[in-house]
Amino acid sequence: MSTAHIAEQRSPEELRSLAEQAGRDFEEADALDVLRWAADTFGHRFCVTSSMEDAVVAHLASRVFPGVRVVFLDTGYHFPETIGTRDAVEAVMDVEVITLTPRQSVEQQDAQYGPRLHDRDPDLCCALRKVQPLEEGLRGYDAWATGLRRDESPTRAHTPVVGWDEKRQKVKVSPIARWTQQDVDRYIAERGVLTNPLLTDGYASIGCAPCTRRVLAGEDARAGRWAGRGKTECGLHG
């Protein structure tokens, strides 16, 4: 790794320009090349975010940026298997896991808004337990990587490999955007990458336990999230 890890802070205008140029340059690029560019360009002002559904992007990033920071949102509603996956990733991979938590515990939120807010107003629950903590946690970074893929759902079909996160004024990197589920499965098998045990128990997309169910045959991977509602995204990527 070169200069890398001491990258200067850039203005939003500079970051936007970098994102737009990289979006053109890296549309067909290998995921490792995309992540290598991000590490070289942003150094420690770059991080990976992970829901701990699997550790594919964290694993890829660690190959070109040992010790890369992996940001995880602990909403207070995760399956035990998800927390276990986070702990295993921290133990066995060359990454620094950073756990973000909401301002309020579940109990404090229940006291203010009433219990089971996720049933009555899932958008507000996601805003309080996911969106706000991530925005605060990303303040020290200029670029962040996600595991978004175009084949996951219609709402993600146009995910750029490198794009501009207008809301947060940051470069957003989705190095496996063009991968299929088969590509992911192949990489996991070839590299022995950690995955959430729930993926072998009927879950295709894993979020908070109260809002996640197993998927049925023929459903897309995101169908088990907020099932029966018009909601398809938590707000982190919209």
Side-chain angles (χ1 to χ4, degrees), residues 141-171:
Y141 301 97
D142 289 335
W144 62 301
T146 80
L148 296 180
R149 299 198 325 271
R150 294 171 185 170
D151 74 336
E152 290 178 300
S153 68
T155 59
R156 297 184 173 186
H158 302 291
T159 298
V161 174
V162 181
W164 177 241
D165 181 348
E166 181 66 40
K167 181 166 65 175
R168 299 180 184 89
Q169 299 283 287
K170 299 182 189 300
V171 179

Side-chain angles (χ1 to χ4, degrees), residues 94-205:
D94 192 356
V95 300
E96 178 186 356
V97 174
I98 297 173
T99 297
L100 305 179
T101 55
R103 292 178 183 176
Q104 294 181 313
S105 67
V106 170
E107 293 73 23
Q108 289 169 329
Q109 179 174 293
D110 287 352
Q112 180 171 351
Y113 297 95
R116 302 189 67 82
L117 180 64
H118 46 76
D119 288 348
R120 293 176 288 106
D121 192 343
D123 288 340
L124 178 57
C125 192
C126 284
L128 293 171
R129 309 207 71 75
K130 290 185 175 183
V131 179
Q132 185 180 72
L134 185 68
E135 288 180 355
E136 293 172 354
L138 289 181
R139 280 180 186 156
Y141 301 97
D142 289 335
W144 62 301
T146 80
L148 296 180
R149 299 198 325 271
R150 294 171 185 170
D151 74 336
E152 290 178 300
S153 68
T155 59
R156 297 184 173 186
H158 302 291
T159 298
V161 174
V162 181
W164 177 241
D165 181 348
E166 181 66 40
K167 181 166 65 175
R168 299 180 184 89
Q169 299 283 287
K170 299 182 189 300
V171 179
K172 186 173 179 180
V173 182
S174 300
I176 63 170
R178 295 186 301 110
W179 284 25
T180 63
Q181 184 63 54
Q182 290 70 32
D183 294 326
V184 172
D185 293 344
R186 186 181 309 113
Y187 186 84
I188 288 169
E190 290 175 354
R191 296 278 175 172
V193 178
L194 282 163
T195 62
N196 193 310
L198 294 174
L199 291 175
T200 61
D201 189 27
Y203 294 87
S205 178

